[in-house]
Amino acid sequence: MLPRDPRAQYRVLGLVLLLGCGTAFQLRFWNPRKAELAALAERVERAERVNAIAELGDGTLDAMREDLALGERQLAELQRLVPREGEVEAIYEAIAAETQSLGLELVHALPADPVVDSTGYFVRQQWALQVEGAYHDVGTLLTRIAGFARLVRPEVDEIVPSRIADSGRQLVHVRFSLETFVLPPEDTPSPEAR
């Protein structure tokens, strides 16, 4: 099948190699079907996006309106719970009244300087507090503080046994912190305005 002349054999062999390389190139790199498949996949993806948008009917729009109305009601309630100005004295008096009514000793109550929240919507007021008394009474105090008619977030830092009372009950010394929130003054720019 191959010619007897060595030069002719090399030519046939070169032609076979050239045809093999051309076929490999077409199958591997230059395949018009790959380009067609990529274009078709892009068209299908675009059609699915348009179809998803088209499926947003009146029901979805109504649901979005309901979600917006719910968000507005929740924001109004949040603003009702967060006062416009700091209430350091009122909070201190409320905490002192609660500790006294439960028979606890208010050892330490120190408000820190207010700090603007990272969102810019609120000003955070931290408190460092220490009380001494019966364990369950301290739990009741924390529950009452958390139930104030404004946002107050108590967090217990440390509970250690303190001393034995005259009645024989073990008292505990509790160090905890409070976090309260205040709306920034009216003249402070909102986060959207920045």
Side-chain angles (χ1 to χ4, degrees):
M1 184 148 134
L2 285 175
R4 297 220 182 251
D5 183 27
R7 289 180 103 194
Q9 286 178 355
Y10 285 125
R11 284 188 195 136
V12 169
L13 184 59
L15 183 62
V16 169
L17 283 174
L18 186 63
L19 285 175
C21 288
T23 304
F25 175 78
Q26 181 183 13
L27 292 174
R28 182 76 173 158
F29 300 108
W30 185 77
N31 190 346
R33 289 186 187 168
K34 282 186 180 179
E36 287 176 29
L37 287 174
L40 186 60
E42 184 180 328
R43 282 181 53 204
V44 167
E45 183 180 335
R46 202 172 333 121
E48 286 177 349
R49 280 194 308 250
V50 170
N51 190 26
I53 292 171
E55 286 178 355
L56 291 176
D58 290 335
T60 306
L61 185 59
D62 290 339
M64 291 169 69
R65 285 184 180 142
E66 288 174 11
D67 288 345
L68 179 63
L70 175 65
E72 288 172 347
R73 286 192 307 269
Q74 289 174 340
L75 180 61
E77 182 67 21
L78 182 65
Q79 288 176 338
R80 186 186 66 76
L81 293 173
V82 178
R84 205 20 99 189
E85 54 192 43
E87 301 176 321
V88 172
E89 188 176 322
I91 291 176
Y92 177 77
E93 288 173 2
I95 292 170
E98 292 296 337
T99 55
Q100 190 175 20
S101 73
L102 292 169
L104 299 171
E105 181 184 346
L106 183 59
V107 178
H108 176 74
L110 180 67
D113 291 331
V115 176
V116 177
D117 187 51
S118 61
T119 62
Y121 287 106
F122 303 108
V123 175
R124 293 175 181 262
Q125 174 76 52
Q126 296 280 341
W127 290 72
L129 296 139
Q130 293 179 22
V131 296
E132 186 177 81
Y135 179 81
H136 294 292
D137 292 338
V138 172
T140 303
L141 172 69
L142 292 172
T143 303
R144 288 182 183 176
I145 289 173
F148 281 171
R150 58 160 299 148
L151 288 180
V152 179
R153 208 167 56 180
E155 184 177 323
V156 176
D157 298 324
E158 179 181 51
I159 300 177
V160 293
S162 132
R163 60 184 170 88
I164 304 290
D166 295 338
S167 64
R169 293 179 70 185
Q170 173 69 53
L171 300 180
V172 294
H173 184 84
V174 180
R175 187 172 52 86
F176 62 100
S177 59
L178 293 180
E179 185 175 45
T180 61
F181 302 88
V182 177
L183 292 175
E186 295 286 340
D187 56 347
T188 304
S190 68
E192 294 91 18
R194 291 181 198 153

